[in-house]
Amino acid sequence: METTLKELKMGEKGVIIKVLGEKGAVKKRLMDMGMTSGAEVLVRKVAPLGDPIEVNIRGYELTLRKAEAQNIIIE
């Protein structure tokens, strides 16, 4: 079973395997922000109701919605 970024808890790390989605604007935007294969991602904060989540990737902070994080497959 594939694990997604959405499933990580605060303080956990993962390495991106691939970004899912059709060749649309959302996938392109995620990849432009550094969400590419091999990048290590750390979950820094999770909002009280679970959405959005804040991650650290490639030395900067990034805030994602759960729907976006669900498209990022990690190991």
Side-chain angles (χ1 to χ4, degrees):
M1 176 154 173
E2 296 179 328
T3 304
T4 65
L5 181 58
K6 174 184 167 185
E7 298 167 23
L8 289 183
K9 306 285 187 246
M10 192 166 61
E12 293 182 336
K13 290 182 180 181
V15 176
I16 297 174
I17 298 174
K18 64 182 172 180
V19 178
L20 298 177
E22 298 176 14
K23 296 180 180 179
V26 175
K27 181 177 179 179
K28 182 177 182 339
R29 187 173 67 89
L30 288 172
M31 295 184 78
D32 287 346
M33 290 187 293
M35 295 286 178
T36 56
S37 298
E40 185 177 82
V41 61
L42 166 70
V43 177
R44 304 242 329 152
K45 297 178 189 173
V46 178
L49 296 176
D51 196 20
I53 62 173
E54 183 178 304
V55 298
N56 184 302
I57 184 167
R58 300 185 188 271
Y60 69 95
E61 307 299 321
L62 180 63
T63 303
L64 299 169
R65 295 206 169 272
K66 280 184 178 179
E68 295 168 333
Q70 189 170 355
N71 290 327
I72 301 167
I73 306 299
I74 59 166
E75 61 178 355

